[in-house]
Amino acid sequence: MPLPALADILAEYEFLDPDDRYRLLIDLGRDLEPMPDPLKTDATLVRGCSASVWVYPTRLEDGHLHFLADSNAAITKGIIALVLATVQDGTPEAIAATDIQDALAPFNLKAQLSSNRTQGIPNMIALIRSTAERLVA
């Protein structure tokens, strides 16, 4: 099932109280496309996250990038879903040009979640951006 558009997620998120926002993130994480266990390796592990996070980029036949991702923590998996909603199935050029942090700013995750939950987001974004930039070059 494809991820909802980030704008649609935000529209729902803005009307929820903090507890329901947690539930929404957890539900988004549950809806992520499953990542096969053999892809969860040291090479796909995102460094600096309090939970284990794996991101595996694939290139579709039309050149767009598709990411598989997973985490061993439900809320972190929801954050991954938000990040992926900004870039999933985009061209490498579009992904490299996307300011993912700016796109996520309206969610105000730092105020909603503990710093442990958000500390790995920049590393996850950097991995996605570097993958796209490598393919553009």
Side-chain angles (χ1 to χ4, degrees), residues 16 71 73 75 116 127:
L16 300 174
S71 176
I75 196 77
N116 281 356
L127 188 147

Side-chain angles (χ1 to χ4, degrees), residues 4-23:
L6 193 64
D8 293 340
I9 299 169
L10 181 60
E12 183 176 352
Y13 189 84
E14 288 179 323
F15 287 102
L16 300 174
D17 65 40
D19 286 344
D20 288 333
R21 287 178 174 182
Y22 277 111
R23 280 190 275 286

Side-chain angles (χ1 to χ4, degrees), residues 1 24 47 50 57-58 71 74 96 118 134:
M1 177 167 120
L24 174 65
R47 307 286 177 228
S50 59
T58 59
S71 176
T118 58
R134 199 170 54 249

Side-chain angles (χ1 to χ4, degrees), residues 40-52:
K40 297 174 189 174
T41 66
D42 196 54
T44 61
L45 186 67
V46 177
R47 307 286 177 228
C49 296
S50 59
S52 294

Side-chain angles (χ1 to χ4, degrees), residues 1-3 25-35 54 67-71 74 76-85 88:
M1 177 167 120
L3 288 166
L25 288 173
I26 290 168
D27 288 344
L28 284 171
R30 279 193 195 117
D31 290 342
L32 273 180
E33 180 180 353
M35 182 178 188
W54 301 272
F67 295 90
L68 296 175
D70 200 0
S71 176
T76 302
K77 200 168 172 177
I79 294 168
I80 294 167
L82 282 181
V83 172
L84 292 185
Q88 191 68 290

Side-chain angles (χ1 to χ4, degrees), residues 22 48-51 75-76 79 108-123:
Y22 277 111
C49 296
S50 59
I75 196 77
T76 302
I79 294 168
N108 197 14
L109 294 173
K110 287 191 186 305
Q112 303 294 328
L113 306 167
S114 70
S115 61
N116 281 356
R117 295 282 183 223
T118 58
Q119 69 186 8
I121 295 173
N123 296 350

Side-chain angles (χ1 to χ4, degrees), residues 86-108:
T86 66
V87 298
Q88 191 68 290
D89 298 336
T91 64
E93 294 80 7
I95 294 170
T98 299
D99 186 337
I100 299 170
Q101 291 223 353
D102 189 53
L104 296 179
F107 290 91
N108 197 14

